[in-house]
Amino acid sequence: QGEKLEELKRLLNLASNIENKRNQITHSVWGAGKDINHITRIKTTAKGSKGLQHKFEEVSISDLKEFSTEIKQVAESIQNFNA
């Protein structure tokens, strides 16, 4: 039974990480990338100590496809979990 609990904790941790990454992708502003295989994630923050900042991150289409596969694998693992 302890092994099942550890497996469940591992799956929940994976799901939490996937959720955070999904939120980052979903709630970002996106722009044209450096080429046809990339897009640019634009993150804007405003903090008293640092002021208004813009960060730009190039993301490849293959990275996004890989992430969608990760989502599918974690979802399947959770659905197939037997307590």
Side-chain angles (χ1 to χ4, degrees):
Q1 187 115 72
E3 291 177 14
K4 287 290 187 178
L5 181 58
E6 289 305 313
E7 176 67 7
L8 180 59
K9 287 179 183 179
R10 186 186 74 78
L11 288 173
L12 291 174
N13 188 45
L14 284 172
S16 177
N17 291 337
I18 291 286
E19 177 187 22
N20 289 335
K21 193 169 179 180
R22 178 214 135 329
N23 287 344
Q24 188 178 58
I25 290 169
T26 302
H27 299 292
S28 290
V29 174
W30 295 90
K34 64 182 180 182
D35 59 36
I36 195 167
N37 295 311
H38 291 82
I39 55 176
T40 301
R41 178 177 171 255
I42 305 163
K43 181 181 178 186
T44 303
T45 57
K47 296 186 179 178
S49 61
K50 296 183 180 181
L52 184 65
Q53 291 188 325
H54 302 284
K55 294 181 182 177
F56 301 89
E57 175 189 3
E58 289 291 321
V59 179
S60 72
I61 301 302
S62 62
D63 286 342
L64 290 175
K65 286 181 181 179
E66 184 178 312
F67 177 62
S68 70
T69 300
E70 288 177 39
I71 291 173
K72 182 179 184 244
Q73 290 171 342
V74 170
E76 285 176 353
S77 294
I78 290 171
Q79 290 170 347
N80 293 326
F81 179 78
N82 292 316

